[in-house]
Amino acid sequence: MSYNKTMETFPSSNGLFDIHYYIYTPKKPVRFVLQITHGMCEYIERYEGFIKYLSREGVLVAGHDHAGHGRSIRTLDDLGYFSEDATDLTLVKDLKTMTDLLSERYAELPHFILGHSMGSFVLRKYLMRFGRSLSGIFISGTGGANPGVVPGITLAKSISAVRGEKHRSTLFNSIFFNGFNKNFQDEKNKFSWLTRDEKVVAAYHKDPKCNFVFTMNGFKGFLEIMKDVTSDEWAAQMPKEVPVHLFSGKNDPVGSYGKGVTETFNRLLDTEVKTVTMKLYEDGRHEMLNELNRKEVYQDLLMKIEEMVALNEIQ
C-alpha cells in the first residue's frame, strides 16, 4: 500500500454525532494536502482508488464523513439526518472544523479542497465566508440554478411537519432525483447516472450506506444550502485570489449535462475570481473519479494541483 491510513473523530456541531475523519499519509515525502468533502449518500472510503493514485505522487489526502453519512452516525437510522435544526448548517460548520484541523496540522504544505456533488455545494457555501488561505479549490459534479429548490424546501417542510424530521419519503426522493436516470434506463439500474462503470454502480446499489433514502431533515438542510449557493449573490462572495477548477461529465444530469457547470463557471468569471478553469469530459457521467476514464481524470487533477502551486508561487 502506498499510504498509511488513520481514522480519528471530532464532535459534530450538531451535538449528536462523532464525525469520523481519515488521513491517508503517503509513504514518500508529502508535497501537498488534498481534502475531500464527499457527496450525498456516500463516504470518504469510496475515494480510495483516487487516494492510492495521489499518495504515489506525494499527495496526502484527508476528509471526513459528513454528519448522517458513513461512520458519522450512531445507528443506521441516522443515515441522511443532519441535526435537530436542519437549517443550522451542520455540514458547513463541520467542514470548517476539518479544514482548520488540517491547516494547523500541515501548516507548511499547500492545502487544496475538492468538493463533489452535495459536497461541492457545501464547499461553495463554506467559501462564501472562509477559504481565503487555501491554495486551490476543485468543484466536481456541481450544478447551476434550479427553479425547483424553493418549492422543494416548502414541500419538505410540509412533509416533515406532518410525518417528522426522520421520515423518509419515497415520493419526495423520487421528485428530488426526478429524471436523473432517464437517459440511462436501458442499463436497468437506477444509479446508472453515476458512472458508466457497471461494477461501481452495482457496488453502490448493494451498499446500505449508499443506497438509502434521505430523511426530510437532510433534504431540507441540503436544499437550503443549494438555495444559497445558486443565488445571484453567492459568486460575489467567493474568494477572488484562490484558483478554482470545475470538472464534470458532459452526461451528468446534476450539472444539466454541462449547462449548470458552465453557468457556475461563467458566474465566477463575471465576479472576477482571478483563476477559473473548467473541463467537461465527453461521455462522462456524475462521478468522474469513478468513471471508465478515471485515470485520465486523476492525471488531470494532479497536473492542475501542480499548476496552482506554481501560480501561487508567482503571485
Side-chain angles (χ1 to χ4, degrees):
M1 192 63 67
S2 57
Y3 56 75
N4 293 313
K5 175 182 176 181
T6 59
M7 181 179 71
E8 301 176 52
T9 64
F10 61 81
S12 174
S13 69
N14 67 16
L16 301 174
F17 307 147
D18 287 329
I19 298 298
H20 287 64
Y21 68 90
Y22 311 82
I23 296 178
Y24 298 83
T25 306
K27 292 182 178 178
K28 63 190 305 181
V30 179
R31 299 191 291 154
F32 320 123
V33 173
L34 177 69
Q35 179 182 348
I36 295 174
T37 173
H38 68 74
M40 184 179 189
C41 299
E42 61 160 354
Y43 48 90
I44 289 295
E45 289 171 299
R46 289 191 72 234
Y47 290 76
E48 288 185 350
F50 179 47
I51 292 167
K52 182 178 179 181
Y53 171 84
L54 288 180
S55 66
R56 290 173 174 167
E57 301 295 333
V59 182
L60 181 148
V61 182
H64 66 287
D65 292 341
H66 292 301
H69 289 77
R71 299 179 193 268
S72 297
I73 57 175
R74 296 163 299 191
T75 69
L76 290 176
D77 190 50
D78 291 325
L79 287 171
Y81 179 85
F82 292 169
S83 74
E84 293 172 354
D85 178 0
T87 64
D88 74 351
L89 298 178
T90 290
L91 270 60
V92 179
K93 293 175 182 177
D94 291 344
L95 174 58
K96 185 176 189 309
T97 298
M98 183 69 204
T99 305
D100 289 349
L101 182 156
L102 292 172
S103 294
E104 292 171 12
R105 193 173 296 186
Y106 306 103
E108 76 285 0
L109 294 172
H111 183 172
F112 303 85
I113 301 184
L114 185 157
H116 171 66
S117 194
M118 181 184 77
S120 77
F121 293 102
V122 173
L123 176 59
R124 286 164 63 176
K125 179 64 177 177
Y126 168 86
L127 292 168
M128 290 171 73
R129 289 189 59 192
F130 311 107
R132 284 161 178 79
S133 63
L134 293 169
S135 299
I137 298 157
F138 294 88
I139 296 178
S140 163
T142 202
N146 185 337
V149 168
V150 172
I153 292 171
T154 302
L155 178 58
K157 287 179 176 178
S158 298
I159 295 173
S160 61
V162 175
R163 303 299 299 273
E165 291 287 302
K166 282 203 167 183
H167 177 64
R168 302 177 192 274
S169 169
T170 53
L171 172 62
F172 192 91
N173 190 67
S174 177
I175 293 170
F176 185 87
F177 291 102
N178 180 39
F180 278 14
N181 215 48
K182 68 179 181 180
N183 289 351
F184 317 110
Q185 290 179 2
D186 58 334
E187 297 176 29
K188 297 181 173 55
N189 191 307
K190 65 180 180 179
F191 297 118
S192 292
W193 60 275
L194 293 174
T195 170
R196 291 169 292 166
D197 190 323
E198 294 179 359
K199 291 182 180 178
V200 173
V201 172
Y204 187 97
H205 201 160
K206 292 176 183 177
D207 191 336
K209 290 190 176 181
C210 292
N211 187 5
F212 64 89
V213 174
F214 248 41
T215 65
M216 297 316 303
N217 173 280
F219 274 125
K220 284 191 295 181
F222 182 22
L223 286 168
E224 288 285 357
I225 291 172
M226 287 185 68
K227 180 184 73 173
D228 289 348
V229 303
T230 56
S231 68
D232 291 337
E233 297 80 25
W234 80 268
Q237 298 179 52
M238 287 279 287
K240 302 294 187 291
E241 66 278 14
V242 181
V244 180
H245 179 64
L246 298 95
F247 66 101
S248 190
K250 284 189 177 180
N251 278 344
D252 179 9
V254 174
S256 302
Y257 304 94
K259 293 179 182 178
V261 186
T262 302
E263 173 193 309
T264 302
F265 172 75
N266 287 331
R267 281 194 175 189
L268 292 171
L269 286 178
D270 291 343
T271 53
E272 299 181 347
V273 173
K274 285 185 179 179
T275 306
V276 190
T277 56
M278 177 181 70
K279 184 164 184 177
L280 299 176
Y281 292 87
E282 201 71 41
D283 299 323
R285 300 181 188 177
H286 184 55
E287 293 187 344
M288 286 310 308
L289 295 177
N290 283 324
E291 259 297 359
L292 294 177
N293 62 321
R294 52 185 168 268
K295 290 295 176 63
E296 174 194 359
V297 181
Y298 295 176
Q299 291 166 3
D300 287 348
L301 294 180
L302 177 62
M303 182 173 66
K304 188 60 67 174
I305 288 173
E306 292 173 337
E307 286 177 4
M308 289 178 177
V309 170
L311 183 64
N312 289 329
E313 289 174 349
I314 294 170
Q315 291 178 349

